[in-house]
Structure formats: structure tokens, C-alpha cells
Amino acid sequence: MSSHLSADHPAAQPPGHGSVESLISQARRLRGDVDAVRRGSQNDGTDPRGRWQRALYDLALHQLSDIDEHLAQLRDGPAPAPRPGSLLSRVGSAEWNLLTDEAEWSGELFHILGLDDTAAPLSLDELPSLVLAEDRPRLTAMVTDCLVDGRPIDGEFRVVRPDDTVRTVHMMGEPVLDADGSTASMWAVLRDVSELRRSQRAVSETRDSLGRHPLPADARQRAAVEPREAVPPPWHGLLRFPHQGRPGLDLAAGYLPSRSHAPGCGAWYDASPLAGDETLLSVGDLAGPGAEGAQGPTVLIGALRGLATAGTRPGQLPERVDRLLEDAALPPVRSALYCGYRPHTRTLTWAHAGHPVPLLFREGTGRELEGQAGTTLRAGDLLLLYTGGLAPADVRRLLPLAPRLTQVESAQDGVRLVTEECGEYLGRDDACVLMARVTS
């Protein structure tokens, strides 16, 4: 691949041979230690917690093996003919010249996509032909943002190889500007992360099999650093979420810790009874000092449940909650969304305070429920409520997921898709998401 470096981005000096060898030794020593601990904790596989722990060990070993092979590539330089199935055959590079319409690919990229390396590289217009239909809008948005707005590319999509196998590819890249500041070309590095994602799904599925039993504190800490996964919030266990659902609704929720700050959680989610079979769904954030931790969300959720039991309607909650918090030693609500759902008529009403409106996914499409205070849902609809930790850019990433979300078999599967898409982009604030699937 031709150089994508410019005067503003001078080439970094390669690390010394000895320093890379030292890192390789450390990575291999750590992998051996993890493997020894894993073998020392083997069980017969019948205990759900044991299966979850074993899946986490396998994921850690997989990632350490990747690090080992990456460092070996740094030490040895690019290999002209990577062995089939090795990590080196799963990392490729490309550059697309917008002035000449020429493309240049490394041999590894042809291997990732299952193409003959004697064929001509695909242009940017041709590349989506290899991508699953539901992932093409995501790829198009990434490339457009890069070429038009000069934003770096960092995202994933799935490709279908000629042998009909599906692989997950992580793409990172940047635009290359000419002397006038216009985009002259785009370079990218692409990695096959299929095995890594498969290991992460195994961790998620085995954790789900634990049901409603809370994990020990050290397990929650390990799960909190796992990328693109939801974990229980700090107040989990103090106020139970109705995982069995509510009349007419299949429910699931998740907490996404900030990737740039220590987990705190001034955010909450909840589902509780209103009058009769009606359900109150709520999400939101507390603001200011004292918002983080378990106490604030726990007290607020308790207050919401009390107001709902007393017959307070969603439209009245913003004012009532603010009034309650004025007399309590708690920070005010920064943003909140309160939804009431009546299963017999499938009617949804909502009120919000400084917060985005709900997202509705139906028949392969997704949209914001803006400019309304109520709507009628249908069986199979998915409703997504989220807190302010997810920015408007996250919503733009979520809406193209509509074809996949409307095919999920459970609200839990929907939450998994959402957190996989947004978990790695979180900035300063933690976030909570709540998914409600209309069942009847």
C-alpha cells in the first residue's frame, strides 16, 4: 500500500528489536499464567457460572494470542505469504485514490474477503457488493463521513465471501488531503474479528444463562472492561428489574459504563406497574455531585414506583419528581423519559425532561417518535429508551440496525445488538438502555 503519511503526520520510528522481544515475552508469559489458572478451575460444564467463567478465560486467551502475533509482525515485518488461518492473514490494508480511481490492496485483504489476489482490487463503489445488505448503510455512512467531513473511520460490518461464509470485519482509516485541503485518497486497515466476536458472544450467552442471580463484585469488574457488552449497574440487586416482562411486553435493559471515566452510574432504567395492567417505563440521568453510585438511582426508582402506585400519570412525573428531589439530599434530574403502555389498546404515551424521545423499530425501519406525546404500537414492535450517555451520533448508528432489530426473537437479543454497536463509543458519561418488545 502506498504511504498515507503527510508532513503533518511524520512517520513514527519503529520500536527497537529488544523492546518488542520484551513485550512478546510478557504477552506469552501472561498467556501461560491465564491458561494455568483456567486449567486449575476446570469444572464439568454443568454449572452456568462455571461455563461463563470458562468462556471469559477462552476470550482472554484468544485476545492474548492476537497480541502475541501482532507483536511478532512488528518484530519480523510484513510477511509476503502469511500462513492460512493465522492472525497475519486476518489483517489487511487498502488505499483508494479518488483522483485516479485506482485502488491498492495488500495481499492479506484479499485473503480476508476470500478473493483471488490476482484480481483487481475493488473500488469504494464496488466494496459494498461484498457486505451484508443490512450492514451496507453503516459502511456507506462511515465512508461518506470520512470523504466529506474528514472524519476517521472506526467501525465494523459483515462480509459474505464467495464460499458463502460470513466474516466480521473491523475497519479503521483516515482521509488523505492534498495541498489544497481536499480529500485525495482514503486509506484503511481492515481486520477479521470474527473469532473475537464469537468468543464475546459466548461470554454474553453464558452470562445470560445465569438468569437473575447477581454476579460477585470481582466478576462485575471484569465484565465492565469487556468491550461492547452491557453489564449490571451498580444498583442492580437493590431494586429488581422485571426480567419476566410485563403484560404485553418482553423487557430487557443494560448498563454501559463509560470507557473514558471510572464507572459511577447516575443513570437509571426501570419498569413498574401503573394502573391495572399498564406499565411505566423510565430511563434518565441524575446531574451534579452525588449523582454517581447506587444510592441516587435507587432512591429515585423507589420514588417513581411510589408515584406510579399512587396513580401519577407519565405526563405528571417530570414536575412531581423535581418537586420530590428538591426536598431530598439528591441532585436534580438532568434528563428523563417516562412512558406509559396500555397492553389492551397497545397505546404508548410519554413525557420527557431534557431528553430524546423514544426510538421505534418496525418492519425493518427505525425512527424517532418526535413531535408526538402518544402512539399506537403493533405486535412485534421494538421500543428503545436510552439515557443521555448516548449522543445523537449513536442514534445515527442505531437506526440502520432496524432490519436486524426487527428480526430478533427477544428484547435481550435487541439490547445485545444495541450495546455491541454503541458500547465502544461511549465518552464521558455512563449510559442505560431499555428495550421493550410488544408481544401481543
Side-chain angles (χ1 to χ4, degrees):
M1 184 174 85
S2 59
S3 172
H4 59 269
L5 299 173
S6 66
D8 295 330
H9 296 81
Q13 295 300 311
H17 184 273
S19 62
V20 175
E21 283 288 0
S22 175
L23 291 174
I24 292 174
S25 298
Q26 292 178 49
R28 291 177 179 174
R29 185 165 55 250
L30 180 57
R31 188 185 189 284
D33 291 344
V34 173
D35 191 37
V37 174
R38 181 191 64 163
R39 286 186 276 106
S41 62
Q42 289 284 352
N43 58 71
D44 60 7
T46 59
D47 174 35
R49 191 177 301 277
R51 290 196 298 270
W52 174 80
Q53 291 174 338
R54 186 174 59 195
L56 268 180
Y57 280 129
D58 290 343
L59 175 58
L61 290 171
H62 180 89
Q63 292 172 318
L64 288 169
S65 296
D66 282 2
I67 292 173
D68 182 13
E69 295 201 49
H70 276 307
L71 292 172
Q73 185 179 23
L74 275 176
R75 178 193 61 194
D76 302 333
R83 66 183 186 278
S86 74
L87 178 70
L88 303 186
S89 67
R90 299 202 306 272
V91 180
S93 56
E95 184 163 352
W96 289 273
N97 190 311
L98 305 182
L99 304 179
T100 64
D101 288 330
E102 294 178 343
E104 188 174 349
W105 287 10
S106 69
E108 292 89 347
L109 183 52
F110 285 94
H111 285 286
I112 289 174
L113 302 178
L115 302 176
D116 185 350
D117 57 11
T118 63
L122 299 184
S123 67
L124 282 176
D125 290 335
E126 296 170 327
L127 186 61
S129 65
L130 301 178
V131 179
L132 280 179
E134 55 263 40
D135 290 359
R136 288 174 190 167
R138 185 185 314 171
L139 174 62
T140 299
M142 288 192 301
V143 172
T144 301
D145 287 346
C146 181
L147 298 181
V148 176
D149 298 328
R151 299 178 185 173
I153 286 178
D154 187 353
E156 293 184 6
F157 50 88
R158 292 166 299 167
V159 297
V160 182
R161 293 159 46 130
D163 60 1
D164 290 331
T165 58
V166 177
R167 308 297 292 180
T168 302
V169 175
H170 187 183
M171 182 177 185
M172 298 181 67
E174 292 182 357
V176 181
L177 306 181
D178 59 19
D180 298 328
S182 302
T183 303
S185 62
M186 187 187 89
W187 67 270
V189 175
L190 297 93
R191 180 186 176 202
D192 185 338
V193 294
S194 304
E195 298 304 322
L196 179 61
R197 296 295 171 253
R198 187 173 296 114
S199 296
Q200 290 174 338
R201 284 195 299 272
V203 171
S204 178
E205 290 166 2
T206 53
R207 187 171 64 235
D208 290 344
S209 71
L210 295 176
R212 299 193 299 273
H213 299 291
L215 298 177
D218 60 338
R220 288 199 300 271
Q221 291 170 357
R222 289 194 301 270
V225 300
E226 177 63 33
R228 305 163 66 99
E229 294 287 349
V231 298
W235 41 267
H236 179 263
L238 298 176
L239 287 170
R240 292 292 187 183
F241 181 78
H243 292 280
Q244 74 276 13
R246 287 283 302 153
L249 295 175
D250 172 26
L251 300 174
Y255 163 58
L256 285 70
S258 168
R259 295 179 63 88
S260 59
H261 286 66
C265 194
W268 85 84
Y269 59 78
D270 190 43
S272 60
L274 274 169
D277 288 340
E278 193 173 355
T279 298
L280 172 66
L281 306 172
S282 67
V283 297
D285 305 89
L286 293 172
E292 298 182 346
Q295 179 184 6
T298 302
V299 173
L300 182 54
I301 291 172
L304 281 172
R305 292 182 177 182
L307 290 169
T309 302
T312 307
R313 304 302 306 161
Q316 301 170 308
L317 284 172
E319 181 182 356
R320 295 283 182 88
V321 169
D322 287 345
R323 195 181 309 160
L324 281 174
L325 294 180
E326 286 179 0
D327 300 326
L330 285 175
V333 169
R334 177 174 59 186
S335 64
L337 176 61
Y338 309 101
C339 297
Y341 179 69
R342 291 176 173 156
H344 297 301
T345 58
R346 296 190 188 134
T347 303
L348 180 78
T349 59
W350 66 87
H352 55 95
H355 192 280
V357 294
L359 300 184
L360 175 64
F361 297 91
R362 172 186 292 168
E363 297 178 349
T365 63
R367 63 187 177 93
E368 295 180 273
L369 293 176
E370 54 186 351
Q372 304 178 59
T375 191
T376 301
L377 302 181
R378 305 175 188 172
D381 282 354
L382 265 74
L383 188 71
L384 177 63
L385 283 62
Y386 59 94
T387 63
L390 298 186
D394 297 305
V395 177
R396 291 194 294 270
R397 277 188 288 268
L398 291 176
L399 293 179
L401 292 179
R404 296 170 61 191
L405 280 171
T406 52
Q407 294 298 317
V408 299
E409 297 182 356
S410 68
Q412 185 62 56
D413 289 340
V415 167
R416 186 176 297 117
L417 277 176
V418 169
T419 54
E420 284 178 353
E421 180 65 22
C422 292
E424 70 177 76
Y425 298 103
L426 281 184
R428 185 180 189 282
D429 297 323
D430 299 358
C432 290
V433 294
L434 191 160
M435 180 77 75
R437 179 171 174 267
V438 180
T439 57
S440 60

